[in-house]
Amino acid sequence: MAQNNLSVALLERGDYPGSKNMFGGTIYTTPTEEIIPAFWRDAPLERPVVSDELWFVDHDSAVKIGFTGLRFAKPPFNKFTALRAKFDSWLAHKAVEAGAHLLTKALATDLVYERIGLMSKKVDGVLLDSGDVLRADAVVLAEGAPAYLAQKAGMRGNMETSSITLYVKEILDLPAGKIEERFNLENGCGANIAFIGDPTSGVVGKAAIWTNRDSISLIVGGYLNQLISKGLNPFQLLERTKRHPIIKRLLDGAKPVEYMGATIPKGGYKNIPQLYGYGILVAGDAAMMISGRQGTDLAMLSGKYAAEAVCQAKAKGDFSPDILQAYERRIGSSYFMKDIEDNKNVGNYYKKHPDADYLINKMLNDAAYEYFKTDLEPGSQKIDKIIQQIRSFQHPWKTVKDVYHGIQNWGVF
């Protein structure tokens, strides 16, 4: 918007952009280049990711699936680890360089309206916690999962706890050399590891590690309704993860320096709110733009599409829904909306089968112990025993469905 000579106010409720934000730790190259081409040349990134792994973790074992591609260590790269306190500040100042006005410690507490005729009204700006009113032709709400203003505007209803995940994150200092040694990395390269199973104590969710330049990002969490029903909190799960005999070796000697938490909407396609109104648009987590482990890139792209719709409205001098619906059309034709729609039944599946992750994890680790155990049985008899073992857990078709929905929820691809 600023690049198109619009007067733009960028509101940040924290002391600086990124001070109130949290994500696992990945910036995806291709979507981000849609906003800032070759951003990786000067952005404050941590490491290019060359290794992705998914571990199914039991109390004393782990089945590991992964890929390492050294091609991803070279331009144009694939994705990077990042720290939002650094990256978001850099990104915000790119907007400032383009002409936007950044206001920090500025919390929008309500929307203000202008009456249009007898039956309708238009959003005309926001009320700040300072009591000041900022007038605007259009307001783009990028307020995260709680989406208080979107709810006030009647664009989004209250979310059920079964449609929200709660995660905590700890950043732990660790020298670069130790990171590269422990994660089998070349100098400057990075790795991501996701953990399913034991760290979340039977809750559908995950833990994960991202390697930064000289620190490690560790997250853990799961569906809020299950955390409540099991009497758990994410800090307990974080400590449990750090104590796991396999995971703790990766963290040995690492010093905690920062702790934070965040909610992530998992309502899916069926809970996507009204995306536009008269002088208002909703983007990012507030608009349920989440697909598997992809969230930050979808937030940035939805923000870009919202900005393009506002520029079009400004050119026409018309901020009515008839014009701003171009935003919804662009979202609907995006690659990520196809993924969100394909994953629309994941949440409902886990409502019916909250033990799905646990059963997959248990089956894999028990089968692996049986397969790799040295004994005097012939190989064919060992395989038959494993097959019978897997069948004894549950019906094979249920296992297939658990894996299918798990892949969508874990964000493996």
Side-chain angles (χ1 to χ4, degrees), residues 284-298:
D285 279 10
M288 303 284 186
M289 296 293 108
I290 298 288
S291 177
R293 62 181 174 180
Q294 291 184 272
T296 301
D297 52 333
L298 309 194

Side-chain angles (χ1 to χ4, degrees), residues 32-353:
T32 309
E33 285 198 308
E34 288 287 307
I35 299 164
I36 303 178
F39 70 96
W40 40 268
R41 296 184 193 275
D42 65 335
L45 303 166
E46 295 297 306
R47 292 172 179 263
V49 176
V50 300
S51 177
D52 265 295
E53 295 185 4
L54 175 65
W55 294 12
F56 295 89
V57 182
D58 206 355
H59 66 280
D60 63 356
S61 61
V63 176
K64 304 175 184 180
I65 302 172
F67 173 74
T68 298
L70 299 182
R71 190 182 308 167
F72 291 152
K74 303 173 183 178
F77 304 100
N78 184 50
K79 58 186 176 181
F80 297 86
T81 56
L83 297 171
R84 290 200 66 166
K86 298 178 181 179
F87 183 82
D88 289 9
S89 184
W90 172 85
L91 188 60
H93 282 90
K94 283 294 181 183
V96 171
E97 290 174 9
H101 302 276
L102 172 62
L103 303 178
T104 59
K105 302 179 183 178
L107 175 63
T109 58
D110 209 346
L111 298 166
V112 294
Y113 294 89
E114 173 191 4
R115 179 62 62 182
I116 304 293
L118 295 176
M119 302 299 293
S120 62
K121 59 183 181 178
K122 171 190 175 297
V123 171
D124 192 42
V126 294
L127 173 67
L128 302 182
D129 57 348
S130 63
D132 295 327
V133 173
L134 288 182
R135 300 287 178 179
D137 291 324
V139 173
V140 179
L141 296 178
E143 53 184 334
Y148 299 118
L149 295 185
Q151 289 187 46
K152 276 190 172 185
M155 302 177 76
R156 200 181 96 173
N158 290 322
M159 292 179 64
E160 298 179 0
T161 55
S162 59
S163 297
I164 302 171
T165 55
L166 176 61
Y167 279 84
V168 293
K169 176 179 180 178
E170 195 168 64
I171 298 175
L172 305 101
D173 276 351
L174 192 66
K178 287 189 178 295
I179 290 174
E180 288 151 9
E181 178 183 351
R182 290 181 189 176
F183 292 86
N184 193 27
L185 297 168
E186 297 293 329
N187 182 37
C189 292
N192 297 343
I193 304 176
F195 308 102
I196 306 297
D198 188 77
T200 56
S201 299
V203 170
V204 175
K206 66 181 177 184
I209 281 176
W210 287 261
T211 58
N212 306 313
R213 290 187 185 182
D214 51 11
S215 67
I216 288 175
S217 294
L218 172 66
I219 70 157
V220 65
Y223 280 90
L224 184 56
N225 63 319
Q226 295 185 25
L227 292 171
I228 293 170
S229 67
K230 294 178 182 292
L232 298 169
N233 68 64
F235 182 76
Q236 290 174 317
L237 300 183
L238 182 71
E239 293 303 307
R240 176 188 178 94
T241 301
K242 291 165 67 175
R243 290 194 302 265
H244 191 279
I246 294 177
I247 299 173
K248 73 177 183 179
R249 292 179 295 179
L250 300 174
L251 306 174
D252 184 43
K255 179 183 177 183
V257 294
E258 195 170 347
Y259 177 80
M260 61 198 80
T263 53
I264 300 172
K266 286 285 189 175
Y269 182 77
K270 296 177 182 178
N271 286 321
I272 291 176
Q274 181 181 339
L275 295 176
Y276 66 95
Y278 210 139
I280 186 170
L281 306 98
V282 185
D285 279 10
M288 303 284 186
M289 296 293 108
I290 298 288
S291 177
R293 62 181 174 180
Q294 291 184 272
T296 301
D297 52 333
L298 309 194
M300 289 192 286
L301 285 178
S302 62
K304 178 178 185 287
Y305 301 159
E308 290 170 346
V310 171
C311 289
Q312 179 183 354
K314 182 68 173 178
K316 289 179 174 290
D318 182 356
F319 293 87
S320 68
D322 288 344
I323 301 300
L324 293 182
Q325 68 174 328
Y327 170 53
E328 186 174 70
R329 289 198 300 270
R330 185 68 186 275
I331 290 287
S333 62
S334 66
Y335 78 92
F336 58 81
M337 185 51 65
K338 171 63 175 171
D339 288 338
I340 292 173
E341 186 173 3
D342 288 345
N343 296 348
K344 63 185 177 183
N345 294 318
V346 172
N348 289 333
Y349 187 82
Y350 281 120
K351 286 181 186 179
K352 297 178 182 178
H353 307 287

Side-chain angles (χ1 to χ4, degrees), residues 63 363-387 389-390:
V63 176
M363 280 190 292
L364 283 173
N365 278 273
D366 285 358
Y369 259 124
E370 184 64 37
Y371 181 80
F372 289 104
K373 182 176 65 178
T374 301
D375 53 32
L376 301 179
E377 290 181 334
S380 58
Q381 185 174 333
K382 186 185 287 279
I383 295 297
D384 288 342
K385 182 183 291 186
I386 292 172
I387 292 173
Q389 193 177 57
I390 291 174

